[in-house]
Amino acid sequence: MASTTSLDVLPTGCRIFTSIPDVFFLPEFVFGGLVWILVASTRVFFPNPLGWVMFVSVFCFIGTTLWFFIFICGANQGGFWPALDAGFHFVASVFYLSAAVDLAYITILLGNSSTISSEFLKIYRLDIAAVVMSYVATLLYFLHAIFSAIRWKKS
């Protein structure tokens, strides 16, 4: 992957598809969207923090979409954008980590219940998939934050 070598600190247009950390945008879309879809398709059995997980997945999906379009349009050329890029992705990684831990805890509680039916098993498997996807999304946002902080430090 090539990094930006021009006078611009942040890439614009199609260059975001060839620069680190901006290459993480598309996987963040995919895995964040999968978390959103998987959590939305489950059923809430008892009071649990799935509302927080939904908030995090929707917030990060919309935030990443806006950030992506800002980069594509080239509106990211200024002195504060590298710091804002690192800050957004750090906040997103912390949010996703908290949501992933909450979701894993609820899934463990669900797995320890004595109810076994085909509907319950389907929801349990959806929750397991959502936990895995949320940890992958956490990793992607964290890597994006680290590489964005390195780029910010160099600017």
Side-chain angles (χ1 to χ4, degrees):
M1 293 280 148
S3 66
T4 57
T5 57
S6 67
L7 295 175
D8 298 335
V9 175
L10 298 175
T12 60
C14 290
R15 288 190 306 164
I16 68 169
F17 296 114
T18 61
S19 66
I20 291 179
D22 305 313
V23 74
F24 292 117
F25 275 129
L26 293 178
E28 289 168 357
F29 282 135
V30 170
F31 288 101
L34 283 173
V35 171
W36 184 1
I37 291 166
L38 290 168
V39 171
S41 65
T42 63
R43 181 175 296 143
V44 178
F45 289 108
F46 44 87
N48 62 32
L50 286 183
W52 172 248
V53 177
M54 284 299 291
F55 168 76
V56 168
S57 61
V58 171
F59 171 78
C60 290
F61 191 84
I62 290 171
T64 302
T65 303
L66 291 174
W67 208 245
F68 180 74
F69 285 125
I70 287 171
F71 272 57
I72 287 286
C73 294
N76 59 348
Q77 300 305 310
F80 64 92
W81 285 100
L84 200 57
D85 183 36
F88 169 74
H89 287 94
F90 176 75
V91 167
S93 66
V94 170
F95 275 13
Y96 254 114
L97 180 61
S98 68
V101 168
D102 286 344
L103 189 58
Y105 176 71
I106 291 303
T107 304
I108 289 170
L109 287 180
L110 217 63
N112 290 337
S113 72
S114 60
T115 308
I116 298 178
S117 67
S118 63
E119 178 68 22
F120 175 80
L121 191 58
K122 176 185 171 194
I123 291 171
Y124 182 64
R125 287 177 180 163
L126 287 173
D127 281 341
I128 290 172
V131 168
V132 171
M133 297 304 157
S134 63
Y135 277 111
V136 171
T138 301
L139 177 66
L140 289 169
Y141 276 106
F142 183 72
L143 289 174
H144 199 146
I146 294 297
F147 287 119
S148 292
I150 291 169
R151 179 170 57 192
W152 170 41
K153 187 73 174 167
K154 288 181 180 179
S155 66

